[in-house]
Amino acid sequence: MKNSNRAGLSLIEIILATLILGVAILGIYRALSASTEIEIETTKIAMSKEILAALRQEVLSHTFEDIHAQITSPSKDVYADLIGEPYPETLAKILVAQKKYKDFKLVVKGCFTNDKKTIAKIEGTASFTGRGNKERKEVITFLQVSEK
């Protein structure tokens, strides 16, 4: 004799409930994952800006003659890497960033903007891997002028 009052769940109902729960959990996971990626990239951008600000401050604290000696550019408006780069505060900030994220790079280049070589244009580029494994760059460009 069959009892018409059901006291449990059928296998199909359990599978359906599990599937709905799985889809909901997957959606929450993806939202949290995307949020974390955005937070990491925002932190990297802030670190890059801090590194570039330190670079600017350190370069401008040197005399024009010191910077002039580091620029190896053969002609005006042609960037070349600076030689020597004695920027301990900037390098310390880069090491902190690299310790945490391992993909920070800093490139410092310079050139002269006139034939008399009395105006130096310095460009610092901090690069790192952003969302989607795309390379991101933050750039700062500034001038240092001879007092002569």
Side-chain angles (χ1 to χ4, degrees):
M1 183 176 210
K2 282 189 171 180
N3 186 359
S4 63
N5 294 335
R6 279 185 21 198
L9 299 173
S10 71
L11 182 60
I12 292 177
E13 290 171 328
I14 292 172
I15 291 172
L16 206 62
T18 304
L19 182 66
I20 291 170
L21 184 63
V23 169
I25 289 173
L26 184 62
I28 291 169
Y29 172 76
R30 284 189 178 166
L32 290 174
S33 178
S35 173
T36 302
E37 284 182 8
I38 291 169
E39 182 180 337
I40 289 171
E41 186 165 11
T42 302
T43 301
K44 287 180 174 183
I45 290 169
M47 288 176 124
S48 295
K49 290 181 183 290
E50 185 179 328
I51 288 165
L52 294 172
L55 172 71
R56 180 178 181 272
Q57 182 179 357
E58 283 190 278
V59 169
L60 293 178
S61 71
H62 287 82
T63 64
F64 182 81
E65 288 73 27
D66 290 343
I67 301 303
H68 185 282
Q70 292 180 3
I71 297 176
T72 60
S73 176
S75 59
K76 75 174 196 165
D77 294 325
V78 176
Y79 281 106
D81 290 340
L82 265 61
I83 56 171
E85 298 184 29
Y87 313 120
E89 184 181 329
T90 304
L91 294 177
K93 288 182 184 292
I94 279 284
L95 289 175
V96 168
Q98 287 176 338
K99 188 174 184 181
K100 189 169 184 180
Y101 293 111
K102 308 214 183 320
D103 64 345
F104 267 83
K105 290 190 295 184
L106 176 67
V107 176
V108 183
K109 297 182 176 201
C111 67
F112 296 103
T113 62
N114 60 359
D115 291 326
K116 294 182 181 181
K117 295 185 176 183
T118 56
I119 302 174
K121 183 166 40 169
I122 310 297
E123 179 180 277
T125 304
S127 59
F128 58 89
T129 306
R131 286 186 293 155
N133 286 331
K134 293 181 181 176
E135 185 180 27
R136 290 282 314 255
K137 293 182 179 184
E138 293 293 322
V139 179
I140 188 170
T141 305
F142 53 94
L143 301 175
Q144 188 173 32
V145 181
S146 171
E147 295 178 9
K148 295 179 183 179

